[in-house]
Amino acid sequence: MVLWENLQAVLAQRGVAGFGVTTAAPFPEMAARLEDAVASGRSAGLPFTFGDPATAADIRVSFPWASRLVVVATSYLPAAGSPGAGVPGRARIARFATRDHYRPLREALEAVAGLLTAAGHRAAVVSDDHRLVDRAAAVRAGVGWPGKSTLVLVPGAGPWVLLGSVVTDAELPVSEPMRRTCGTCVACLPACPTGAIVAPGMLDARRCLAAVLQSAGWIPLELRAAVGDRLYGCDDCLEACPPGDRALATATAEQGSVDVSRLLAMDDATLRAEFPHFYVPRNSGRWLRRNCLVVLGNTGGAAAIGVLAGYAGHRDSMLRGHAVWALGRIDDPRGRGVLTRVAASDPDAAVVAEAATALAGTLTG
Ligand code: B12
Ligand code: SF4
Ligand code: SF4
């Protein structure tokens, strides 16, 4: 089939990590898994595919003419580099988000869609979209195997890939799912700092730092220390994954490390403009500031007291609450002075409670 050979040639030319074709048949087990994640709370109230499992598990709901999914994986290594971990006053961005790494994927998918439409077929690009569970499509198309971390692992690239599909009515030849599995490896489970991989192939997003850092609200108290120096996303279960070791070793350029105090000095608009590709609720910078404050509490040390004391007087009570928590993490008399004042006079009961807890922590610990 000339069309299929042309598609393969285009994808090979673009250096994609993997590709395959599956039918547009539904993924009934995905609907059940999504519904179960919502009912049990493991979806953490996230929207995306969880919002409408029946649609996410059946591509024909959105594209009734669909016959095939051409599934593509692109690796974001070595391009995404590696941030230095644990540098005081600096925060890490997970590699998938150091810049818009979806761009090469989108371009490859657009190229496939272009060839299909030029040949008279219908084609639509779907990636990171509520209308398809990308990993399920990748597994059935034989692009990779389902890892115990829930990530799809692609030979040569491991988990360091982004996934997308072209929906088409072209009856392309279908590929077989991979036989490879994780085998006896379980490295990702203990590597997760919060125990979010509750069973092989099952994630509790309430505890996953990638979800926590991109969600609205106060970061649960019991997870704040585990946030460590992460600003956005988390790579621990990927870094622990042996099939990705070789790809990771190529990611040597220093990237994804940012100065937290610089970010905290920015206004909302500037902060959002700095990271246009981040997904944060209502596109608001306040959630990134919240994450910055937690990072400063975890790694900033005495040098962070001035910035945190300023935020303890911020007009946004959610930010004041996180600033006082952070002050409580740093053993410093100036910080204790601020906490005593906040505990005595903040107008918001939640902030007063944070300050009292923080004060108890610094006085006893
Ligand atoms: C919601 C979401 C999240 C949520 C929840 C993730 C989750 N595991 O469910 C949060 C915010 C936590 C998240 C985090 C991340 N995400 Co995300 N996310 C999504 C999104 C939008 C939907 C995922 C979804 O539907 N999950 C629901 C469950 C039911 O399905 P699943 O985990 O995707 O599929 C697996 C399981 O169902 C399992 N499975 C299937 N049948 C069965 C049966 C049994 C019995 C068991 C046990 C398992 C099992 O196999 C499937 C394949 O592994 C997709 C994009 C999309 N539209 O698909 C991206 C996506 C999954 N995310 C992606 C990425 C890159 C990440 C992060 C690595 C980002 C980071 N560095 O911080 C982390 C990884 C965390 C992790 N361990 O998964 C990539 C994954 C690429 C890959 N190699 O797999 C995707 C596909 C985006 C994309 N288009 O590339 N993500
Ligand atoms: S992304 Fe981080 S917090 Fe989420 S499952 Fe992986 S290691 Fe755990
Ligand atoms: S760390 Fe091991 S068990 Fe976890 S996804 Fe990677 S290969 Fe599979």
Side-chain angles (χ1 to χ4, degrees):
M1 197 176 182
V2 178
L3 177 58
W4 176 228
E5 278 163 16
N6 288 345
L7 290 174
Q8 286 175 290
V10 159
L11 290 169
Q13 209 176 26
R14 287 178 176 268
V16 303
F19 60 91
V21 178
T22 185
T23 69
F27 298 91
E29 72 287 4
M30 278 302 128
R33 281 181 64 73
L34 288 165
E35 278 158 15
D36 184 47
V38 174
S40 65
R42 277 186 280 104
S43 68
L46 292 168
F48 317 117
T49 46
F50 301 109
D52 185 353
T55 299
D58 185 357
I59 197 68
R60 287 195 183 121
V61 171
S62 308
F63 303 94
W65 45 263
S67 167
R68 299 284 188 268
L69 296 170
V70 182
V71 188
V72 177
T74 52
S75 174
Y76 48 97
L77 297 185
S82 287
V87 184
R90 297 192 74 83
R92 269 185 295 163
I93 298 169
R95 291 174 181 82
F96 84 112
T98 51
R99 59 172 191 255
D100 181 12
H101 293 295
Y102 280 91
R103 193 173 163 177
L105 174 66
R106 279 196 304 271
E107 287 172 355
L109 294 169
E110 293 293 353
V112 168
L115 276 180
L116 287 163
T117 47
H121 294 287
R122 299 179 83 160
V125 171
V126 177
S127 173
D128 221 11
D129 192 300
H130 68 284
R131 293 170 295 183
L132 180 66
V133 180
D134 293 325
R135 287 166 169 173
V139 168
R140 201 168 72 190
V143 174
W145 76 93
K148 290 175 187 167
S149 60
T150 77
L151 282 136
V152 166
L153 312 185
V154 173
W160 304 101
V161 295
L162 297 174
L163 303 168
S165 296
V166 178
V167 189
T168 181
D169 60 1
E171 304 222 332
L172 297 167
V174 172
S175 31
E176 285 294 309
M178 245 171 223
R179 288 188 179 192
R180 206 167 150 181
T181 68
C182 293
T184 55
C185 179
V186 287
C188 49
L189 278 82
C192 175
T194 58
I197 308 169
V198 289
M202 187 180 278
L203 186 92
D204 187 339
R206 287 171 296 197
R207 285 198 256 162
C208 176
L209 296 175
V212 169
L213 292 169
Q214 68 166 45
S215 297
W218 294 52
I219 294 181
L221 205 52
E222 66 278 13
L223 295 179
R224 291 185 202 161
V227 166
D229 63 346
R230 296 174 187 81
L231 175 67
Y232 187 80
C234 170
D235 277 344
D236 285 23
C237 54
L238 294 87
E239 286 171 354
C241 186
D245 281 354
R246 264 209 265 157
L248 187 57
T250 65
T252 49
E254 203 179 300
Q255 274 191 72
S257 168
V258 288
D259 181 325
V260 179
S261 298
R262 187 176 73 84
L263 300 184
L264 282 170
M266 291 175 179
D267 60 39
D268 255 31
T270 316
L271 185 55
R272 285 299 296 129
E274 182 97 356
F275 307 108
H277 54 290
F278 282 11
Y279 172 85
V280 283
R282 283 187 288 282
N283 212 21
S284 165
R286 70 195 283 253
W287 310 118
L288 293 177
R289 285 162 189 249
R290 170 201 65 184
N291 300 351
C292 285
L293 294 169
V294 173
V295 170
L296 276 191
N298 288 329
T299 72
I305 296 288
V307 175
L308 292 173
Y311 266 87
H314 199 278
R315 64 182 185 285
D316 182 337
S317 59
M318 185 277 297
L319 294 179
R320 292 202 301 282
H322 286 79
V324 297
W325 174 84
L327 284 167
R329 295 272 291 165
I330 303 167
D331 187 18
D332 186 282
R334 290 167 301 159
R336 281 195 289 278
V338 176
L339 290 174
T340 308
R341 204 182 61 236
V342 172
S345 62
D346 196 280
D348 188 303
V351 181
V352 170
E354 287 274 354
T357 309
L359 213 43
T362 56
L363 290 176
T364 56

